[in-house]
Amino acid sequence: MHILNLGILAHVDAGKTSLTERLLHTAGVIDEIGSVDDGSTQTDSLALERRRGITIKAAVVSFVVDEVTVNLIDTPGHPDFIAEVERVLSVLDGAVLVVSAVEGVQAQTRVLMRTLLRLRIPTLIFVNKTDRRGADPERVLREIAAKLTPAALRNDAPDADVLAENNDAFLTAYLGDKVSQSLLRKEFEAQAKQSLAYPVFFGSAITGAGVPELITGVQRLLPAAESDVDGPVSGTVFKVERGPAGEKIAYVRMFSGTVRTRDRLPSDQKVTAISVFDRGSAVRSAQVTAGQIGKLWGLTEVRIGDAIGKPRAGAGRHHFAPPTLETVVVPVRPADKAALHPALTRLAEQDPLIDLRQDEIRQEISVSLYGEVQKEVIQATLADEFGVEVTFRETTTICVERPRGSGTAFEIIDKDPNPFLATVGLRVDPAPIGAGIDFRLEVELGSMPYSFVKAVDETVKETLRQGLHGWRVTDCVVTMTHSGYWARQSHSHGTFDKTMSSTAGDFRNLTPLVLMDALKEAGTTVYEPMHRFRLELPADTVGAVASVLAKLRAVPLNLGASSLLEGEIPAAKVHELQQRLPSLTRGEGVLESAFERYQPVTGEVPERPRTDQNPLNRKEYLLQVLRRVGV
């Protein structure tokens, strides 16, 4: 039995969850098709999903087609939940991208397809809602070819010209007029499995039209999972949820090897129970093997993105932009303040990109966001699952800092003004855009205990979460240039004397001071996130819209036709543009917007309130740290 792990992706309201229901019904897994409007679908199991009629969390169901077991993963369509989609991409063998025959290609469709192309995930495209008024499948097919990929070919009539571009042998046969229908079909299937061709199907999830053909395409055009069950254990955790008793349940895709109940994983956590997906639901099993998706119990410390066994190459790499917005969460009832942080921590456990920032001074908690809908979902989830009612402060933009130049600093053990038993020297250098943070050594690794080096490495990365202006510092190389310590010493009666012996704590406490001194010498530039936008609107409204865009600091990059505006706009202004667009365009304007890049802030540099012990202010920092360690 072959296994295919299949993702269903789409823009919001394209009919993705309805298609999942139809596939399960056609495969005989369910007797009655659920309704998104009625909240009776298989995959939208959260109460909030049923109320809102949208998918928020990825869900897994299973069905069998001949000799292929398909694990179907339904993903969110709303762009605010793109992080959930990102986690699913890492475990897929193939995908079905759903496009509405009425609305056509949307901004989210383009974001998803660009990522599928980049990751070379074999993909089928299903043009849904062909039964609806206003449906225009041929127009949408042209849009798909123009906006998504020219390699999108009708499943029932693939274009041999396009296929010939990818295979010289097929090109030779084509030019010699020796391409039979069977050879054409064979080549089409081969290129679809290699992510060179993207078959397009047409139909309706509601009526079932075209769905049997799509199921046949899933079976014949997408590659089954590799299944080296005897190889080294290697899997990826792509979802974490809590069971009825509050226990952690990890969803894992196995790429190699076998995990069994009572196995102790390299993280020294013991697997206490396993379920695998079979014909619609998860059933208890003694093991989960290569190619399968399983649910593991017992991994109390597990997090999304963790490797089970040997990590895969490229694991942990992000495919979409990080959240660019944040807001302060405020409990409605002051008595709920103590319960708020653990509740948000539980949510962040299920979504690592909900980055929590706790400000101990102001007693406030901030969360990062992709958009306003995500804020509403956080609010409803806190109320429903934790009984904590909250409101939010105004949403603000998350900027980043990058070093302008190089800077160095060091402090020597037992020399004023250094109160810590550690020598640390650091140099900060700029790195290419997108490089992140790289920690390097110019001192010999054996010059002091590894635990001290690790303490400096970890503290550097933690400290750089807040730069000179309070924003996360990125795209830099931090090199350790000086090191020194006092070896462990004891009194004559054998007790350890920390006043004469260096500890990892000395290095953790000193590193922020040295790093910030080096960063001050280097200087930083604050960058704000920019979105690329594409705006279709009535020709007679272009002038009014262009005027508003200028006030919102939008920069036109390509004016195109008279009714098409393209350019870049600060992420902080996108929501305002969305709100003003209907009145400016009589409700006819269509806006596509997605994160593009960071650009230097012009004018007044925005400052972010610090939530750390402020190593920029040596006196304040030492007062807090020395008080904490009891010096």
Side-chain angles (χ1 to χ4, degrees):
M1 178 71 74
H2 297 296
I3 300 172
L4 172 67
N5 295 297
L6 179 70
I8 304 287
L9 296 84
H11 65 80
V12 68
D13 291 333
K16 172 179 50 58
T17 300
S18 297
L19 178 59
T20 299
E21 290 290 308
R22 176 61 67 175
L23 289 170
L24 295 175
H25 182 266
T26 304
V29 173
I30 57 176
D31 297 325
E32 185 176 346
I33 295 176
S35 166
V36 174
D37 293 336
D38 295 340
S40 56
T41 60
Q42 293 289 304
T43 52
D44 286 346
S45 57
L46 297 177
L48 185 57
E49 291 177 314
R50 297 181 185 276
R51 285 205 307 271
R52 294 187 62 99
I54 61 172
T55 302
I56 297 170
K57 295 292 183 184
V60 183
V61 290
S62 179
F63 62 90
V64 175
V65 180
D66 293 337
E67 293 300 312
V68 178
T69 295
V70 179
N71 290 324
L72 191 64
I73 309 176
D74 186 16
T75 63
H78 198 286
D80 280 15
F81 308 107
I82 196 70
E84 191 75 14
V85 179
E86 174 174 305
R87 291 188 280 276
V88 169
L89 290 175
S90 64
V91 304
L92 296 183
D93 303 307
V96 173
L97 181 65
V98 185
V99 182
S100 168
V102 181
E103 292 87 4
V105 173
Q106 302 290 294
Q108 181 75 347
T109 321
R110 298 170 77 171
V111 170
L112 293 169
M113 190 65 191
R114 280 199 300 267
T115 307
L116 291 167
L117 290 168
R118 187 169 68 250
L119 298 178
R120 297 187 63 80
I121 295 175
T123 301
L124 310 182
I125 300 172
F126 186 72
V127 179
N128 190 27
K129 301 185 180 180
T130 56
D131 59 317
R132 296 286 184 89
R133 179 180 299 177
D136 190 344
E138 293 304 320
R139 170 185 60 81
V140 173
L141 180 61
R142 292 192 296 272
E143 280 188 13
I144 289 170
K147 296 181 179 181
L148 300 184
T149 172
L153 308 176
R154 296 185 68 110
N155 176 66
D156 54 0
D159 188 336
D161 286 346
V162 176
L163 298 176
E165 294 178 6
N166 300 318
N167 187 329
D168 290 342
F170 184 77
L171 173 62
T172 301
Y174 178 57
L175 294 176
D177 199 23
K178 296 180 180 179
V179 176
S180 63
Q181 282 299 311
S182 62
L183 179 59
L184 176 64
R185 194 70 203 174
K186 182 179 179 181
E187 183 64 24
F188 182 46
E189 292 179 5
Q191 292 199 22
K193 290 181 179 180
Q194 298 173 57
S195 304
L196 297 173
Y198 297 87
V200 181
F201 297 78
F202 300 87
S204 167
I206 297 299
T207 67
V211 174
E213 291 81 2
L214 178 63
I215 290 178
T216 300
V218 167
Q219 179 188 5
R220 298 184 62 181
L221 299 170
L222 296 177
E226 297 181 4
S227 53
D228 182 9
V229 298
D230 297 320
V233 171
S234 178
T236 298
V237 175
F238 67 94
K239 177 179 177 178
V240 173
E241 66 182 16
R242 292 275 180 169
E247 74 278 17
K248 271 189 180 181
I249 306 171
Y251 285 66
V252 59
R253 157 70 197 271
M254 293 299 299
F255 293 98
S256 173
T258 299
V259 172
R260 298 174 178 83
T261 306
R262 292 185 294 279
D263 277 359
R264 193 170 289 280
L265 299 177
S267 57
D268 204 33
Q269 298 180 74
K270 184 178 179 181
V271 178
T272 58
I274 298 174
S275 287
V276 296
F277 289 88
D278 181 43
R279 297 182 183 274
S281 59
V283 295
R284 284 301 171 103
S285 173
Q287 62 186 30
V288 55
T289 64
Q292 289 185 312
I293 289 177
K295 297 166 67 174
L296 305 184
W297 280 258
L299 309 183
T300 56
E301 303 301 319
V302 73
R303 298 175 301 175
I304 289 173
D306 281 356
I308 299 296
K310 182 180 179 181
R312 296 181 74 220
R317 185 181 303 154
H318 292 306
H319 309 304
F320 298 106
T324 57
L325 305 172
E326 72 174 354
T327 184
V328 174
V329 188
V330 181
V332 172
R333 298 182 295 267
D336 286 338
K337 185 174 288 188
L340 179 58
H341 188 268
L344 284 171
T345 300
R346 183 76 67 88
L347 291 187
E349 172 184 284
Q350 300 173 22
D351 185 352
L353 290 182
I354 297 180
D355 185 29
L356 301 185
R357 294 179 72 247
Q358 175 129 21
D359 187 334
E360 299 290 354
I361 298 172
R362 298 168 187 81
Q363 293 295 299
E364 294 177 344
I365 303 175
S366 300
V367 297
S368 56
L369 302 166
Y370 278 99
E372 296 298 313
V373 172
Q374 189 182 12
K375 186 193 294 185
E376 296 171 20
V377 168
I378 291 173
Q379 184 179 43
T381 304
L382 287 172
D384 291 351
E385 297 186 14
F386 301 97
V388 177
E389 295 184 5
V390 300
T391 58
F392 299 92
R393 302 263 177 85
E394 181 183 1
T395 301
T396 56
T397 305
I398 301 175
C399 298
V400 299
E401 295 182 47
R402 292 189 176 116
R404 281 199 301 269
S406 298
T408 60
F410 64 89
E411 296 204 20
I412 304 298
I413 193 169
D414 201 30
K415 286 192 176 181
D416 288 336
N418 178 8
F420 304 109
L421 299 185
T423 292
V424 174
L426 298 171
R427 184 176 69 248
V428 176
D429 296 301
I433 291 176
I437 299 171
D438 186 14
F439 179 75
R440 300 177 182 175
L441 296 178
E442 275 186 4
V443 297
E444 291 187 15
L445 185 58
S447 63
M448 65 179 186
Y450 175 70
S451 61
F452 295 172
V453 176
K454 184 179 179 183
V456 175
D457 183 359
E458 292 175 347
T459 307
V460 161
K461 289 166 184 173
E462 176 64 27
T463 303
L464 290 179
R465 289 167 62 93
Q466 300 181 71
L468 302 183
H469 301 277
W471 305 103
R472 176 175 60 89
V473 180
T474 187
D475 301 335
C476 64
V477 177
V478 179
T479 304
M480 190 170 184
T481 58
H482 298 69
S483 67
Y485 74 106
W486 281 356
R488 183 182 179 91
Q489 299 184 52
S490 303
H491 294 292
S492 56
H493 46 78
T495 58
F496 171 65
D497 187 353
K498 68 177 182 179
T499 66
M500 302 188 299
S501 309
S502 299
T503 66
D506 288 302
F507 287 87
R508 293 187 187 280
N509 290 330
L510 179 59
T511 295
L513 290 172
V514 176
L515 180 57
M516 282 298 152
D517 282 347
L519 197 63
K520 281 190 283 188
E521 184 176 295
T524 64
T525 299
V526 176
Y527 291 72
E528 66 177 332
M530 299 292 290
H531 279 220
R532 181 73 179 252
F533 72 87
R534 186 175 187 273
L535 186 55
E536 297 179 13
L537 65 166
D540 63 331
T541 67
V542 170
V545 172
S547 176
V548 170
L549 288 173
K551 293 177 182 177
L552 296 177
R553 296 194 291 119
V555 179
L557 300 176
N558 178 18
L559 295 179
S562 60
S563 58
L564 176 64
L565 299 176
E566 291 185 292
E568 290 185 342
I569 183 172
K573 303 296 183 181
V574 172
H575 185 59
E576 183 177 346
L577 177 59
Q578 291 170 331
Q579 290 181 312
R580 299 185 64 175
L581 192 60
S583 61
L584 290 169
T585 63
R586 303 185 298 275
E588 298 178 35
V590 178
L591 174 67
E592 296 180 10
S593 168
F595 173 83
E596 180 71 12
R597 64 187 180 92
Y598 286 96
Q599 78 167 19
V601 171
T602 57
E604 184 178 354
V605 176
E607 300 284 334
R608 189 190 207 186
R610 303 193 72 88
T611 60
D612 60 6
Q613 292 161 325
N614 194 12
L616 288 172
N617 184 324
R618 186 181 186 93
K619 182 177 180 180
E620 177 186 332
Y621 176 84
L622 290 176
L623 280 173
Q624 294 186 65
V625 170
L626 295 178
R627 185 184 302 122
R628 186 189 68 208
V629 299
V631 175

